Amino acid sequence: MDARSRLESDRRTTLARLALLQRDVAAIIAASEGSNADDEHDPEGATIAFERSQATSLVQQAERHLTEIDAALARLDDGTYGVCEVCGAPIPAPRLSARPVARTCVTCG
Ligand SMILES: [Zn+2]
């Protein structure tokens, strides 16, 4: 599989995961509206707040990964993909297969 196919398949997977995670966050928010979550002494409210911040940070992670994928696709388009952005050396193929969004070589990464 070439870099573009890998990135595009990763992009589809990440978008699907993001959709699920956003649904989780929406469900947690809906659940918190149905309970006394505003009451800070309510243990259930504390659990919901924790779940909500966990789910929100997973959403942010997925969004960041999506940004990295888009940046890697842009580098493929302008011909700088696979070149270390620090030292300019080619990024070894095994590193790119393991991490298609890599922007630096092993030494600089
Ligand atoms: Zn480098």
Side-chain angles (χ1 to χ4, degrees):
M1 204 193 279
D2 66 10
R4 186 176 296 274
S5 318
R6 265 201 306 268
L7 286 163
E8 278 168 358
S9 113
D10 195 8
R11 193 171 198 284
R12 277 191 299 274
T13 312
T14 306
L15 276 174
R17 196 174 69 221
L18 189 58
L20 286 176
L21 290 168
Q22 282 166 337
R23 214 171 57 191
D24 282 354
V25 172
I28 293 167
I29 291 171
S32 70
E33 280 164 357
S35 78
N36 265 345
D38 285 342
D39 181 355
E40 60 184 287
H41 302 297
D42 177 0
E44 196 188 339
T47 305
I48 288 169
F50 176 73
E51 280 177 359
R52 185 170 161 172
S53 80
Q54 291 264 300
T56 305
S57 87
L58 288 174
V59 165
Q60 286 164 348
Q61 259 174 41
E63 284 172 346
R64 265 201 302 276
H65 189 55
L66 209 55
T67 308
E68 287 181 332
I69 293 169
D70 286 341
L73 285 167
R75 291 197 297 280
L76 268 175
D77 288 338
D78 69 19
T80 59
Y81 182 79
V83 176
C84 172
E85 67 177 17
V86 177
C87 70
I91 302 174
R95 176 165 169 85
L96 282 176
S97 349
R99 187 168 160 73
V101 299
R103 293 157 62 167
T104 54
C105 69
V106 185
T107 315
C108 302

